[in-house]
Amino acid sequence: AACWPLAPHDLQGLTVLLTAGPTREALDPVRFISNRSTGRMGFAVAAAAAQAGARVVLVSGPVHLPTPPGVERVNVESAVEMYEAVMQRVQHSQIFIATAAVADYRAAAASGQKIKKTRDTLILELVRNPDILAEVAALRSSRPFTVGFAAETHDVLHYAEDKRRRKNLDLIAANQVGVAGSGFESEQNALHVLWEGGEKVLALADKTVLGRQLVALIAERYRQWSGAR
């Protein structure tokens, strides 16, 4: 049961840009660095935003999920591709929700051929990927209401609040990963949502339900944010 009724017109007339799923950073033509994100949480949020009347653009990493009804989907693979897709579209969006688990690092130089097993050890040089969320939050013109996610294995609230302040986010949804039955690779999740001067706990629930609850909260916070500007 949702903690707010999500009206079909809560986000009417607004464009919501979302990222979801993992990214894949190529090491060679057959290997890559990635993570355990399935994209379920992001796709649930995208579906809920569309149900609330928004035009939804979903930039998705490689996942095995059907596109939610009424959602425009842009498929990408790497963090750099995701960054480019977001920055091309963000100026026309009123709300940006970053649910994707974007790789922090990529190979400094991906091999054009399969890396052969010739030594007992292999050293990979990694370089940092662009920080999509921080760059969107730092926009000076046409900056959208910016929502981040923090997936942490420990000290969840400490890291989430630090991330919110450091990246100048309007709202952050924190969840613990690495525990059975919640987070990555699970149908369920629980979120602790933080903003300047407020917080709300969304208890463990199916990600579809949680997506609706989160979108209702984002719509409420967006109205206050846009009304104060």
Side-chain angles (χ1 to χ4, degrees):
C3 45
W4 301 269
L6 187 59
H9 308 299
D10 271 1
L11 297 176
Q12 196 74 44
L14 300 178
T15 296
V16 175
L17 178 64
L18 285 108
T19 63
T23 63
R24 287 180 181 171
E25 311 303 320
L27 298 177
D28 65 17
V30 298
R31 301 183 182 94
F32 54 80
I33 299 170
S34 193
N35 58 64
R36 296 181 184 276
S37 172
T38 62
R40 284 193 195 110
M41 190 70 243
F43 275 59
V45 173
Q51 289 163 9
R55 172 180 175 250
V56 180
V57 181
L58 172 61
V59 180
S60 176
V63 299
H64 302 288
L65 295 170
T67 306
V71 169
E72 178 188 334
R73 180 170 172 178
V74 180
N75 290 319
V76 297
E77 188 139 315
S78 69
V80 169
E81 287 175 3
M82 185 172 279
Y83 170 80
E84 289 170 350
V86 166
M87 299 315 285
Q88 284 168 14
R89 295 164 175 83
V90 72
Q91 302 280 350
H92 309 292
S93 308
Q94 287 74 51
I95 298 174
F96 175 63
I97 308 172
T99 71
V102 183
D104 293 324
Y105 295 91
R106 68 182 183 276
S111 173
Q113 297 179 320
K114 182 181 175 184
I115 299 168
K116 293 298 183 184
K117 183 171 58 178
T118 56
R119 302 175 190 163
D120 289 342
T121 60
L122 175 67
I123 297 173
L124 293 172
E125 184 184 358
L126 304 177
V127 295
R128 283 184 74 155
N129 275 320
D131 190 325
I132 300 168
L133 181 58
E135 291 220 21
V136 170
L139 287 172
R140 293 186 176 275
S141 64
S142 304
R143 179 194 180 278
F145 183 84
T146 304
V147 179
F149 268 66
E152 305 290 351
T153 55
H154 63 285
D155 293 341
V156 177
L157 293 184
H158 169 76
Y159 284 119
E161 179 60 13
D162 175 67
K163 184 175 182 178
R164 186 188 71 77
R165 291 179 179 277
R166 210 167 14 89
K167 298 193 180 187
N168 187 35
L169 307 180
D170 300 301
L171 189 141
I172 193 162
N175 69 297
Q176 186 159 356
V177 294
V179 292
S182 175
F184 290 168
E185 300 181 300
S186 172
E187 300 283 350
Q188 293 188 308
N189 205 3
L191 297 173
H192 198 128
V193 186
L194 307 169
W195 60 92
E196 187 67 45
E199 61 182 297
K200 188 146 194 100
V201 175
L202 303 182
L204 186 68
D206 184 89
K207 287 178 178 176
T208 305
V209 173
L210 204 62
R212 293 193 192 113
Q213 293 177 346
L214 180 61
V215 166
L217 179 54
I218 289 169
E220 182 185 293
R221 297 304 312 160
Y222 171 79
R223 284 192 293 271
Q224 293 194 15
W225 175 83
S226 58
R229 298 174 79 201

